[in-house]
Amino acid sequence: MTDSRYTGGPEPASKRLPQGVGQGSGVNDLSVGTPDDLLRQLRAAYADGSRRVAEEWHRSVPFGDLVVDRWERARMLGFGPGSSIYDSALVLGD
């Protein structure tokens, strides 16, 4: 599937992720409190990301596809230049 957003490279994280998600240097940057607090934050991030994707591209994607850079995943798997693969896609074989 061709993505009209593709311009030859990955988008900046600020365009892919809900605001405040993935802006630190790692898990240790998170101040989540209890597991219930983390669940609330993840649900809020998903709701925000889903709303933004629906408004901008008229689609709905799973949580992993909101937070995983699909162009980086394609590079990691050895796909060709300009390729992307959603986090929810299963890859079998070499």
Side-chain angles (χ1 to χ4, degrees):
M1 175 188 299
T2 303
D3 190 324
S4 62
R5 297 178 299 149
Y6 184 72
T7 59
E11 298 173 284
S14 61
K15 293 288 283 179
R16 290 190 315 272
L17 303 177
Q19 184 175 3
V21 175
Q23 304 303 316
S25 61
V27 172
N28 293 328
D29 294 338
L30 298 175
S31 176
V32 296
T34 69
D36 285 339
D37 293 335
L38 175 59
L39 185 57
R40 275 190 289 278
Q41 290 177 13
L42 289 171
R43 286 178 175 160
Y46 180 65
D48 180 59
S50 292
R51 178 195 47 75
R52 188 174 38 80
V53 167
E55 288 174 358
E56 193 165 342
W57 295 292
H58 308 286
R59 62 179 78 163
S60 175
V61 298
F63 182 80
D65 294 333
L66 290 173
V67 297
V68 172
D69 183 325
R70 66 184 194 228
W71 292 279
E72 179 59 32
R73 184 171 186 229
R75 278 190 295 277
M76 180 184 71
L77 292 170
F79 291 9
S83 297
S84 70
I85 183 168
Y86 282 103
D87 182 59
S88 58
L90 175 64
V91 178
L92 301 172
D94 295 333

